[in-house]
Amino acid sequence: ERVGMTEDEIKKELATQVKIDKLIEAKSGDLAKVTEEEVKKFYDENIDRFTTSQSVKASHVLVKVEENADEATRAAAKAKAEKLQKELAGGADFAKVAQENSDCPSSERGGDLGAFERGQMVKEFEDAAFTQDIGAIGPVVETQFGYHIIKVMERSEGGTKSLADSK
C-alpha cells in the first residue's frame, strides 16, 4: 500500500528482477578472466588513476564582509570573528556556533565543508587549513569573503595507492 502497488504487481516486478539477475549472471560468466599480469600492466600504465592529492576535511565559521565594506564594518566583523574564535577555543560546540553564526551556506551542516584538495579554496584559507593541527581551532583567517575560523577534522597526505589496495 505504501508504494502504491498491488501484491500481483510486486510479484511480477520480483519475477522480472530475478530474470534480469539470471541473464546478467549467465552473460558475465562468459567474460574472460583477467590475469595478474594484466592487472599489473593496467595499474602500471594508468598509475595516475591510483594517485590522490593531499586533502583536508574541515569545517568553518564565516563572518562575511563585502569587498567594498568600510573599515568600521571590517573591524566589527573581525571583532565578532575573534569573539567566536575565543568561544570555540574555550570548548564551545563548533557545529552549534557555525549554525548560529556563520554566514556560509555550510552553516546548515554545522560549518562542514567536506574534504577538499589544494587549489580548491582561496590561498589564505587553504594555507591555514593545510598547516593547522587536526582538531584544533585555528586563528581568525581573513580572505576576500570575510573572516574564517577553521577546524580541520582529517588530513590525507595523498600519494599513490599500492597495487594490492587498488585491486
Side-chain angles (χ1 to χ4, degrees):
E1 288 178 10
R2 275 186 290 179
V3 294
M5 295 175 74
T6 67
E7 187 176 336
D8 287 337
E9 290 172 324
I10 291 174
K11 286 179 181 178
K12 186 176 179 181
E13 184 73 28
L14 287 172
T16 301
Q17 189 60 50
V18 168
K19 289 175 185 174
I20 291 170
D21 290 347
K22 285 183 179 181
L23 179 64
I24 291 172
E25 188 176 314
K27 293 294 182 184
S28 64
D30 295 340
L31 297 176
K33 301 296 179 203
V34 179
T35 67
E36 287 297 317
E37 293 79 26
E38 290 171 317
V39 169
K40 174 134 178 48
K41 181 180 178 194
F42 179 84
Y43 174 81
D44 291 340
E45 291 175 355
N46 296 279
I47 196 74
D48 56 319
R49 290 185 180 192
F50 305 100
T51 303
T52 58
S53 299
Q54 183 184 30
S55 66
V56 295
K57 181 179 179 198
S59 296
H60 81 142
V61 174
L62 170 64
V63 179
K64 189 174 182 177
V65 179
E66 298 298 327
E67 285 189 76
N68 59 353
D70 61 36
E71 285 305 312
T73 303
R74 287 189 174 285
K78 185 174 183 179
K80 178 181 178 183
E82 288 173 344
K83 177 181 173 281
L84 293 172
Q85 192 276 345
K86 284 184 178 130
E87 288 177 21
L88 291 165
D93 181 81
F94 197 95
K96 184 176 181 191
V97 171
Q99 287 173 335
E100 294 172 357
N101 297 281
S102 184
D103 297 321
C104 179
S106 68
S107 65
E108 294 175 10
R109 299 180 306 277
D112 185 359
L113 295 169
F116 53 90
E117 297 177 355
R118 284 200 177 271
Q120 292 185 286
M121 300 290 183
V122 294
K123 184 176 180 357
E124 302 88 352
F125 188 96
E126 183 178 282
D127 288 348
F130 279 90
T131 58
Q132 192 171 302
D133 290 339
I134 295 171
I137 304 298
V140 174
V141 175
E142 183 178 4
T143 71
Q144 67 198 46
F145 302 106
Y147 297 95
H148 306 260
I149 305 150
I150 304 168
K151 181 177 182 180
V152 175
M153 313 306 265
E154 297 174 16
R155 180 176 289 112
S156 169
E157 294 307 320
T160 303
K161 288 185 185 177
S162 70
L163 175 59
D165 289 342
S166 298
K167 276 180 159 180

